[in-house]
Amino acid sequence: MNRVVEMTVYGAEQLCPSCVNLPSSKETYEWLQAAISRKYPDQPFKITYVDIHNPPEDEEKKDFAQRVIEEDMFYPVVLLENEVVGEGNPKLKTIYNEMEKYGYKPE
């Protein structure tokens, strides 16, 4: 593995209108963190949760949070190295495939 990748999960407390019966954005963030840690033990990665209605001062994160709202994206929206890899109900297989492009090895 070459470097620590950054994953950002954008979401909100309230479920998106089209995401009824799905876990909340925060639950998805916690689930992803646990699943990725199990799949790639001892391979560090950074995962951050961003509330789209209360984003941090970081301009890049603030801008993308605004984009999620303006474009009516299905959240949570999962970014890996600033590329969208999941929206609404992210698929682990897709995220794993993207992580492996950065040198992560399943164990």
Side-chain angles (χ1 to χ4, degrees), residues 56-74:
E57 288 303 311
D58 179 306
E59 278 305 313
E60 198 172 300
K61 287 180 173 47
K62 193 184 288 188
D63 289 347
F64 194 83
Q66 190 61 40
R67 185 175 151 201
V68 171
I69 295 167
E70 288 174 359
E71 295 179 15
D72 287 329
M73 298 173 92
F74 296 123

Side-chain angles (χ1 to χ4, degrees), residues 14-76:
Q14 184 177 342
L15 292 176
C16 80
S18 302
C19 302
V20 179
N21 298 327
L22 293 177
S24 72
S25 298
K26 194 75 157 177
E27 289 169 333
T28 299
Y29 158 77
E30 292 166 353
W31 168 71
L32 283 172
Q33 188 170 31
I36 293 167
S37 294
R38 278 193 307 273
K39 180 84 169 179
Y40 308 106
D42 303 318
Q43 298 173 69
F45 64 96
K46 180 180 179 189
I47 184 167
T48 307
Y49 177 77
V50 174
D51 184 324
I52 59 174
H53 300 295
N54 190 20
E57 288 303 311
D58 179 306
E59 278 305 313
E60 198 172 300
K61 287 180 173 47
K62 193 184 288 188
D63 289 347
F64 194 83
Q66 190 61 40
R67 185 175 151 201
V68 171
I69 295 167
E70 288 174 359
E71 295 179 15
D72 287 329
M73 298 173 92
F74 296 123
Y75 48 85

